Amino acid sequence: MKNRGLVLLAHGARDPEWAEPFVRIRAAVAAQRPDVIVELAYLGTMSPRLAAAIDAMAASGVTEVTVAPLLMAQGGHLKEDVPRLLAEAQRRHPRLRLNLLPAVGEVDAILSAMAEWLVGSVPRAGSEEP
Amino acid sequence: MKNRGLVLLAHGARDPEWAEPFVRIRAAVAAQRPDVIVELAYLGTMSPRLAAAIDAMAASGVTEVTVAPLLMAQGGHLKEDVPRLLAEAQRRHPRLRLNLLPAVGEVDAILSAMAEWLVGSVPRAGSEEP
């Protein structure tokens, strides 16, 4: 039985296509960690919400849930909403271990990947077509 | 004179600390591309807004501006707001070349960096402390 869970927490948007990158990340992580239940959850209008995702994992026997906010930066969501939602989940599931990862913009390897992509995305002088 | 510009376009938030990852990315890119003017701009409440950033670059002699949306995914902002803002900027600066990059979640190398980080962020069975 899988007793570890990873919730990829995204902001959410009205447009269902918005979730596509998160669906891809979920599949990539799940493929490399078959020992972990990996699910998406959203802060906004999309389903499931964070609370429902954690409750479902707890109901399926998961004993440790890591929440990874796929948000660029640490704003009101990460300083207020997410800690409150996690505290509420902890009260509902007192024996569940809950870990919160930083925003992706706080992770050096991801910042470096973004910077590298940007450095290569601006044409260099003399490289334009004739 | 630098005649290429790169605008890193972030969502913005009420909390000024929110912008810190973007400040770091800007510095990293600017250090590696001294031939390019690299500036931050925001869609929301922070300054400068996208229009002001493009206008300032045009005024300083930039002839080609690349706009890189540092947004996780392609939602309403990238489908509606940003194209409208770029079309308006093009009308104000008819000879300026304007390029729009995809959202970071559409970039394979960045998705891979996120997936790799997530794969390594969940403790493996048997690795917990005694």
Side-chain angles (χ1 to χ4, degrees):
Chain A
M1 200 187 71
K2 301 185 186 187
N3 64 0
R4 292 176 194 271
L6 173 64
V7 177
L8 307 181
L9 179 65
H11 189 281
R14 288 184 306 276
D15 183 346
E17 273 183 39
W18 183 88
E20 280 175 18
F22 306 102
V23 171
R24 290 179 60 197
I25 293 177
R26 197 208 72 81
V29 175
Q32 291 175 73
R33 288 298 301 265
D35 57 319
V36 177
I37 298 181
V38 187
E39 298 291 356
L40 296 173
Y42 301 93
L43 286 165
T45 52
M46 289 180 163
S47 287
R49 309 294 284 271
L50 177 58
I54 293 173
D55 291 354
M57 286 191 176
S60 74
V62 165
T63 57
E64 177 165 355
V65 173
T66 299
V67 176
L70 299 185
L71 306 173
M72 289 293 297
Q74 169 114 354
H77 286 306
L78 272 180
K79 289 184 178 172
E80 293 157 30
D81 306 348
V82 174
R84 177 179 50 76
L85 290 165
L86 291 184
E88 289 168 6
Q90 189 71 81
R91 280 195 292 274
R92 290 196 303 280
H93 309 286
R95 302 190 58 179
L96 187 66
R97 275 184 295 176
L98 284 166
N99 312 315
L100 177 62
L101 297 181
V104 295
E106 309 285 326
V107 179
D108 285 344
I110 298 172
L111 278 194
S112 296
M114 290 187 195
E116 191 176 327
W117 168 67
L118 292 164
V119 163
S121 293
V122 181
R124 289 182 188 268
S127 69
E128 49 269 88
E129 303 90 80
Chain B
M1 200 188 69
K2 301 185 186 187
N3 64 0
R4 292 177 194 270
L6 174 64
V7 177
L8 308 181
L9 179 64
H11 189 282
R14 288 184 308 276
D15 183 347
E17 273 183 37
W18 183 88
E20 280 175 16
F22 307 103
V23 172
R24 290 179 61 196
I25 293 176
R26 197 207 73 79
V29 176
Q32 291 176 74
R33 289 297 301 264
D35 57 319
V36 177
I37 297 180
V38 187
E39 298 291 356
L40 296 174
Y42 301 92
L43 286 165
T45 51
M46 289 179 164
S47 287
R49 308 296 283 270
L50 178 58
I54 293 174
D55 291 354
M57 286 191 176
S60 73
V62 165
T63 57
E64 176 166 354
V65 173
T66 299
V67 176
L70 298 185
L71 305 173
M72 289 293 297
Q74 169 114 356
H77 286 307
L78 273 180
K79 290 184 177 172
E80 294 158 28
D81 306 349
V82 175
R84 176 178 53 75
L85 290 165
L86 291 185
E88 289 167 6
Q90 190 71 82
R91 280 196 291 275
R92 290 195 305 279
H93 309 286
R95 302 190 58 180
L96 187 66
R97 276 183 294 175
L98 283 166
N99 311 315
L100 178 62
L101 297 181
V104 295
E106 309 285 326
V107 179
D108 284 343
I110 298 172
L111 279 194
S112 296
M114 289 187 196
E116 191 175 329
W117 168 65
L118 292 164
V119 163
S121 292
V122 180
R124 289 181 188 270
S127 70
E128 49 266 87
E129 304 90 78

